[in-house]
Amino acid sequence: MHAAGDALNSLLGKDREPSLREQIEEATASGDTCFSLTYEERVIGFVACVASGMFLNCFSVIRLTELLLGNPVPFAVCFTLGNILSMGSMCFLVGPLRQCKNLFAPGRASATFLYLLMMACTLFSAFYPGLSHLGRVILIVICLVLQGLALAWYALSYIPFGMQFARRYLLRCCCPPEDV
Protein backbone atom coordinates (compact mmCIF):
# COMPACT_ATOMS: atom_id res chain seq x y z
CA MET A 1 0.00 0.00 0.00
CA HIS A 2 2.98 2.29 0.74
CA ALA A 3 4.23 1.91 -2.84
CA ALA A 4 0.85 3.06 -4.18
CA GLY A 5 1.06 6.20 -2.01
CA ASP A 6 4.60 6.91 -3.28
CA ALA A 7 3.42 6.48 -6.86
CA LEU A 8 0.50 8.86 -6.24
CA ASN A 9 2.83 11.44 -4.65
CA SER A 10 5.17 11.09 -7.61
CA LEU A 11 2.32 11.66 -10.05
CA LEU A 12 1.19 14.68 -8.06
CA GLY A 13 4.75 16.05 -8.13
CA LYS A 14 5.37 15.84 -4.41
CA ASP A 15 8.75 14.09 -4.62
CA ARG A 16 10.12 15.72 -7.73
CA GLU A 17 13.51 17.41 -8.05
CA PRO A 18 13.32 21.07 -7.01
CA SER A 19 13.79 23.63 -9.78
CA LEU A 20 16.79 25.95 -9.88
CA ARG A 21 14.59 28.75 -8.59
CA GLU A 22 13.44 26.60 -5.64
CA GLN A 23 17.04 25.57 -4.90
CA ILE A 24 18.20 29.20 -4.85
CA GLU A 25 15.27 30.24 -2.65
CA GLU A 26 15.96 27.36 -0.27
CA ALA A 27 19.69 28.12 -0.16
CA THR A 28 19.09 31.75 0.75
CA ALA A 29 16.23 31.12 3.18
CA SER A 30 18.52 30.07 6.03
CA GLY A 31 19.44 33.44 7.52
CA ASP A 32 21.65 34.48 4.58
CA THR A 33 18.76 35.99 2.69
CA CYS A 34 20.60 38.67 0.76
CA PHE A 35 18.48 41.26 2.54
CA SER A 36 15.26 39.33 1.90
CA LEU A 37 15.23 39.91 -1.84
CA THR A 38 12.81 37.98 -4.01
CA TYR A 39 14.10 35.56 -6.60
CA GLU A 40 13.51 38.07 -9.40
CA GLU A 41 15.30 40.84 -7.48
CA ARG A 42 18.29 38.54 -6.87
CA VAL A 43 18.48 37.66 -10.57
CA ILE A 44 18.25 41.36 -11.50
CA GLY A 45 21.02 42.19 -8.99
CA PHE A 46 23.18 39.38 -10.34
CA VAL A 47 22.72 40.46 -13.98
CA ALA A 48 23.29 44.12 -13.10
CA CYS A 49 26.54 43.34 -11.28
CA VAL A 50 27.85 41.07 -14.04
CA ALA A 51 26.88 43.58 -16.74
CA SER A 52 28.44 46.47 -14.82
CA GLY A 53 31.60 44.47 -14.20
CA MET A 54 31.89 43.51 -17.85
CA PHE A 55 31.26 47.11 -18.91
CA LEU A 56 34.00 48.38 -16.60
CA ASN A 57 36.42 45.69 -17.81
CA CYS A 58 35.70 46.63 -21.44
CA PHE A 59 36.02 50.31 -20.57
CA SER A 60 39.38 49.62 -18.91
CA VAL A 61 40.66 48.31 -22.26
CA ILE A 62 39.97 51.77 -23.67
CA ARG A 63 41.92 53.17 -20.73
CA LEU A 64 44.90 50.94 -21.59
CA THR A 65 46.39 53.74 -23.70
CA GLU A 66 46.33 56.01 -20.64
CA LEU A 67 48.23 53.35 -18.72
CA LEU A 68 50.89 53.21 -21.42
CA LEU A 69 51.08 57.01 -21.62
CA GLY A 70 51.75 57.39 -17.90
CA ASN A 71 48.36 57.63 -16.20
CA PRO A 72 47.61 54.14 -14.81
CA VAL A 73 44.93 55.13 -12.27
CA PRO A 74 41.86 55.12 -14.58
CA PHE A 75 42.80 51.73 -16.03
CA ALA A 76 43.59 50.12 -12.68
CA VAL A 77 40.45 51.44 -10.99
CA CYS A 78 38.11 50.44 -13.85
CA PHE A 79 39.64 46.99 -14.21
CA THR A 80 39.71 46.22 -10.48
CA LEU A 81 36.22 47.58 -9.81
CA GLY A 82 34.91 45.53 -12.75
CA ASN A 83 36.45 42.39 -11.26
CA ILE A 84 35.02 43.11 -7.82
CA LEU A 85 31.53 43.64 -9.25
CA SER A 86 31.73 40.45 -11.30
CA MET A 87 33.01 38.43 -8.37
CA GLY A 88 30.42 39.88 -6.00
CA SER A 89 27.53 39.21 -8.36
CA MET A 90 27.11 35.68 -7.01
CA CYS A 91 26.24 37.19 -3.63
CA PHE A 92 22.84 38.04 -5.09
CA LEU A 93 22.15 34.44 -6.07
CA VAL A 94 23.56 32.46 -3.16
CA GLY A 95 23.97 35.15 -0.51
CA PRO A 96 27.13 36.78 0.82
CA LEU A 97 27.87 34.16 3.47
CA ARG A 98 27.68 31.21 1.09
CA GLN A 99 29.68 33.13 -1.53
CA CYS A 100 32.46 33.73 1.00
CA LYS A 101 32.37 30.05 1.97
CA ASN A 102 32.63 29.12 -1.73
CA LEU A 103 35.49 31.54 -2.31
CA PHE A 104 37.51 30.23 0.60
CA ALA A 105 36.66 26.52 0.30
CA PRO A 106 39.77 24.30 0.66
CA GLY A 107 40.35 23.79 -3.08
CA ARG A 108 39.71 27.44 -3.95
CA ALA A 109 41.22 29.45 -1.11
CA SER A 110 44.69 29.82 -2.63
CA ALA A 111 43.30 31.00 -5.99
CA THR A 112 40.92 33.42 -4.25
CA PHE A 113 43.70 34.78 -2.05
CA LEU A 114 46.02 35.29 -5.04
CA TYR A 115 43.21 36.94 -7.03
CA LEU A 116 42.36 39.38 -4.24
CA LEU A 117 46.04 40.05 -3.52
CA MET A 118 46.74 40.84 -7.18
CA MET A 119 43.76 43.21 -7.34
CA ALA A 120 45.18 45.05 -4.32
CA CYS A 121 48.67 45.04 -5.86
CA THR A 122 47.25 46.44 -9.12
CA LEU A 123 45.76 49.39 -7.24
CA PHE A 124 48.89 49.81 -5.12
CA SER A 125 51.07 49.86 -8.26
CA ALA A 126 48.82 52.46 -9.85
CA PHE A 127 48.71 54.80 -6.84
CA TYR A 128 52.21 54.40 -5.35
CA PRO A 129 54.11 57.60 -6.14
CA GLY A 130 57.64 56.18 -5.89
CA LEU A 131 57.53 54.03 -9.03
CA SER A 132 58.87 54.99 -12.42
CA HIS A 133 56.48 54.89 -15.36
CA LEU A 134 58.06 51.75 -16.81
CA GLY A 135 58.18 50.02 -13.42
CA ARG A 136 54.55 50.87 -12.79
CA VAL A 137 53.44 49.48 -16.17
CA ILE A 138 55.47 46.29 -15.70
CA LEU A 139 54.07 45.70 -12.20
CA ILE A 140 50.50 46.29 -13.35
CA VAL A 141 50.90 43.89 -16.29
CA ILE A 142 52.37 41.23 -13.97
CA CYS A 143 49.45 41.72 -11.57
CA LEU A 144 46.96 41.39 -14.45
CA VAL A 145 48.56 38.17 -15.70
CA LEU A 146 48.53 36.70 -12.19
CA GLN A 147 44.89 37.77 -11.74
CA GLY A 148 43.98 35.97 -14.95
CA LEU A 149 45.83 32.81 -13.91
CA ALA A 150 44.23 32.86 -10.46
CA LEU A 151 40.79 33.34 -11.99
CA ALA A 152 41.36 30.45 -14.40
CA TRP A 153 42.53 28.22 -11.54
CA TYR A 154 39.46 29.21 -9.51
CA ALA A 155 37.16 28.43 -12.46
CA LEU A 156 38.84 25.02 -12.90
CA SER A 157 37.91 24.18 -9.30
CA TYR A 158 34.25 24.05 -10.38
CA ILE A 159 34.92 21.55 -13.17
CA PRO A 160 35.14 17.96 -11.93
CA PHE A 161 38.82 16.97 -12.02
CA GLY A 162 39.59 20.27 -13.78
CA MET A 163 42.42 21.28 -11.46
CA GLN A 164 43.93 17.78 -11.54
CA PHE A 165 43.82 17.71 -15.35
CA ALA A 166 45.39 21.18 -15.60
CA ARG A 167 48.10 20.27 -13.07
CA ARG A 168 49.00 17.11 -15.02
CA TYR A 169 48.96 18.98 -18.33
CA LEU A 170 51.19 21.77 -16.99
CA LEU A 171 53.62 19.26 -15.49
CA ARG A 172 53.72 17.38 -18.78
CA CYS A 173 54.42 20.62 -20.69
CA CYS A 174 56.96 22.02 -18.24
CA CYS A 175 58.67 18.79 -17.21
CA PRO A 176 58.49 16.34 -20.12
CA PRO A 177 59.54 12.78 -19.30
CA GLU A 178 63.12 11.90 -20.14
CA ASP A 179 63.52 10.00 -23.42
CA VAL A 180 65.67 7.02 -22.50
Side-chain angles (χ1 to χ4, degrees):
M1 188 72 179
H2 186 58
D6 288 343
L8 181 61
N9 283 340
S10 179
L11 285 174
L12 295 175
K14 291 187 178 177
D15 74 341
R16 63 179 173 70
E17 286 289 317
S19 68
L20 177 62
R21 179 183 179 148
E22 292 168 339
Q23 289 175 4
I24 291 172
E25 287 175 349
E26 181 182 326
T28 58
S30 59
D32 192 15
T33 59
C34 202
F35 311 109
S36 301
L37 299 174
T38 66
Y39 173 77
E40 289 80 12
E41 291 168 336
R42 288 193 297 259
V43 170
I44 290 169
F46 168 76
V47 170
C49 276
V50 169
S52 299
M54 291 173 72
F55 173 77
L56 284 172
N57 282 337
C58 290
F59 191 65
S60 71
V61 171
I62 296 169
R63 300 292 189 141
L64 194 58
T65 55
E66 291 181 44
L67 168 69
L68 297 175
L69 293 175
N71 185 13
V73 174
F75 171 80
V77 169
C78 282
F79 190 79
T80 304
L81 190 57
N83 287 342
I84 290 169
L85 281 170
S86 295
M87 186 171 58
S89 65
M90 285 301 293
C91 290
F92 281 98
L93 291 183
V94 298
L97 183 61
R98 180 170 280 178
Q99 174 64 0
C100 286
K101 286 179 182 178
N102 288 341
L103 286 171
F104 293 101
R108 300 179 182 115
S110 59
T112 300
F113 179 74
L114 180 64
Y115 189 65
L116 294 172
L117 179 66
M118 288 303 107
M119 282 195 284
C121 288
T122 301
L123 291 175
F124 176 79
S125 300
F127 285 105
Y128 187 70
L131 293 173
S132 68
H133 170 65
L134 182 61
R136 186 181 315 271
V137 170
I138 289 171
L139 278 176
I140 289 174
V141 169
I142 289 171
C143 290
L144 295 179
V145 168
L146 290 175
Q147 275 184 54
L149 291 172
L151 184 60
W153 193 253
Y154 179 81
L156 283 172
S157 72
Y158 281 97
I159 300 170
F161 305 107
M163 293 171 85
Q164 294 171 353
F165 174 77
R167 191 177 294 125
R168 279 193 219 120
Y169 181 76
L170 290 172
L171 285 173
R172 193 172 291 145
C173 289
C174 297
C175 308
E178 299 284 330
D179 290 330
V180 182

